[in-house]
Amino acid sequence: VRMVFCGHLHRCHEATAGDLELVINGPVGMPLQDGFSGFRLVRVGDGGVEHRYFGLEDEEGQGEFVGPG
């Protein structure tokens, strides 16, 4: 296991522990603190895993797809 996706902090957060990457997804409903509503798309392919969070208020999303490394 190199990457774990989870939720329920009501905001986005990312952390690493050694080679393990933890990605906490933000809420679709009730954001807390500096969070905002949205969803995350994840692409899995031969080159690895990429992910991007899209805020519901922002048609362009929150940054570029994030890939390995």
Side-chain angles (χ1 to χ4, degrees):
V1 174
R2 288 186 256 164
M3 187 173 284
V4 175
F5 291 90
C6 60
H8 213 84
L9 274 181
H10 293 264
R11 62 186 177 96
C12 290
H13 186 73
E14 295 183 32
T16 56
D19 291 335
L20 179 66
E21 182 178 354
L22 174 64
V23 180
I24 302 169
N25 297 303
V28 175
M30 185 177 185
L32 299 177
Q33 297 172 337
D34 58 349
F36 47 91
S37 294
F39 60 94
R40 183 175 306 276
L41 289 182
V42 179
R43 287 195 258 190
V44 179
D46 293 336
V49 177
E50 299 177 313
H51 57 91
R52 179 175 175 186
Y53 191 80
F54 290 85
L56 295 181
E57 301 293 324
D58 183 3
E59 294 178 7
E60 297 298 317
Q62 301 299 316
E64 299 297 318
F65 272 94
V66 177

